[in-house]
């Protein structure tokens, strides 16, 4: 309850998003001593030197994505798997990719243990998207790019929405929402954020 209260006070007001976040136990996605802090609104360390995002940021990004029950969603940056698990409560199917095989394997084991069956995981450089399953209704990046990667723009369905952090540096980034129209792309700036960078290639762990 405290967890939901904190989310609401940070602007996560969408009832479906709050219900999804109530159902997914964040403690399952962090290890050891960090699980004690799983319900606090802070990012926490995970394997491969990466981080699980702050719950309020997960909530705000999920809310901005406006996921509907029939949607096919692509997430770039599986990390712990927490964001994908939240999306899986709202969408028909979630494809999630990370450049670290170890993170993908660990996240998949958690999805299996929690009986989450509508997430497909894979290891790759997610900047290229997943052309075999394109187009996607929604695309979410949880690592910061300098600009929206063009393969991802191309794999977004007309009418589809992509949410991502963009920025030239590690410290100042802006969360943006890109909507594909019949004729092009509309861009909205949402809020300042701070994410790990989107890196090229496959990770060595
Ligand atoms: N969504 C995650 C947090 C992601 S942290 C969660 O809920 O826990 C960002 C992740 O993006 C890291 O795991 C990092 O390995 C991954 N990443 C960075 N660049 C990438 C790329 N080009 N392709 C796929 N994953 C990438």
């Amino acid at each position: 309850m405290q967890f939901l209260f904190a989310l609401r006070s940070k602007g996560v007001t969408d009832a479906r998003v709050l219900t999804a976040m109530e159902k997914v136990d964040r403690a399952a996605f962090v290890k050891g001593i960090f699980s004690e802090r799983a319900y606090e609104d802070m990012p926490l360390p995970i394997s491969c030197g990466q981080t699980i995002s702050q719950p309020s940021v997960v909530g705000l990004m999920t809310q901005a994505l406006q996921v509907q029950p029939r949607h096919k969603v692509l997430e770039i940056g599986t990390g712990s798997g927490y964001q994908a698990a939240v999306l899986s409560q709202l969408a028909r199917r979630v494809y999630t990719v990370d450049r670290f095989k170890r993170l993908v394997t660990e996240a998949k084991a958690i999805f299996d243990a929690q009986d989450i069956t509508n997430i497909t995981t894979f290891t790759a450089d997610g900047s290229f998207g997943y052309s075999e399953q394109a187009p996607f209704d929604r695309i979410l990046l949880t690592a910061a790019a300098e600009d929206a990667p063009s393969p991802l723009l191309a794999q977004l369905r007309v009418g589809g929405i992509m949410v991502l952090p963009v920025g030239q540096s590690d410290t100042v980034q802006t969360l943006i929402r890109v909507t594909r129209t019949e004729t092009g792309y509309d861009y909205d700036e949402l809020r300042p954020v701070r994410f790990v960078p989107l890196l090229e290639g496959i990770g060595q762990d």
Side-chain angles (χ1 to χ4, degrees):
M1 247 8 241
Q2 194 60 40
F3 186 64
L4 289 189
F5 181 77
L7 290 173
R8 275 201 203 90
S9 73
K10 297 269 173 73
V12 185
T13 51
D14 184 305
R16 291 179 61 241
V17 173
L18 289 166
T19 303
M21 291 186 73
E22 196 177 14
K23 282 197 196 142
V24 179
D25 184 7
R26 188 168 182 254
F29 295 85
V30 288
K31 288 189 192 155
I33 53 163
F34 296 113
S35 56
E36 286 169 21
R37 316 202 79 172
Y39 308 114
E40 292 175 31
D41 194 26
M42 52 164 64
L44 294 169
I46 56 169
S47 304
C48 305
Q50 304 301 313
T51 50
I52 176 172
S53 310
Q54 203 174 330
S56 59
V57 172
V58 170
L60 290 168
M61 287 176 94
T62 308
Q63 188 166 280
L65 208 57
Q66 298 170 22
V67 181
Q68 299 302 320
R70 299 181 60 85
H71 282 168
K72 184 163 76 169
V73 181
L74 174 64
E75 181 201 23
I76 317 299
T78 310
S80 67
Y82 177 64
Q83 171 77 72
V86 171
L87 291 170
S88 78
Q89 304 294 317
L90 297 163
R92 179 170 57 83
R93 177 146 293 271
V94 177
Y95 294 86
T96 184
V97 55
D98 205 285
R99 57 191 291 280
F100 284 110
K101 188 169 198 301
R102 177 165 163 207
L103 290 174
V104 172
T105 306
E106 289 179 1
K108 169 97 174 63
I110 303 169
F111 302 148
D112 290 346
Q114 309 254 326
D115 282 327
I116 300 175
T117 56
N118 62 337
I119 303 181
T120 303
T121 56
F122 61 106
T123 306
D125 178 345
S127 322
F128 299 100
Y130 192 32
S131 53
E132 291 88 334
Q133 285 296 333
F136 294 95
D137 301 291
R138 299 290 186 262
I139 300 179
L140 179 64
L141 278 86
T142 62
E146 282 193 15
D147 269 312
S150 47
L152 298 181
L153 289 171
Q155 290 174 27
L156 191 61
R157 189 187 295 285
V158 172
I161 294 175
M162 170 156 73
V163 170
L164 74 159
V166 290
Q168 303 287 337
S169 81
D170 284 357
T171 47
V172 189
Q173 300 158 1
T174 308
L175 190 67
I176 65 164
R177 176 167 50 204
V178 183
T179 308
R180 184 166 190 176
T181 66
E182 293 284 349
T183 51
Y185 298 88
D186 287 342
Y187 292 79
D188 293 312
E189 286 192 7
L190 303 178
R191 65 194 305 268
V193 280
R194 192 169 174 184
F195 275 85
V196 299
L198 188 73
L199 298 175
E200 283 179 16
I202 299 291
Q204 297 304 314
D205 194 348

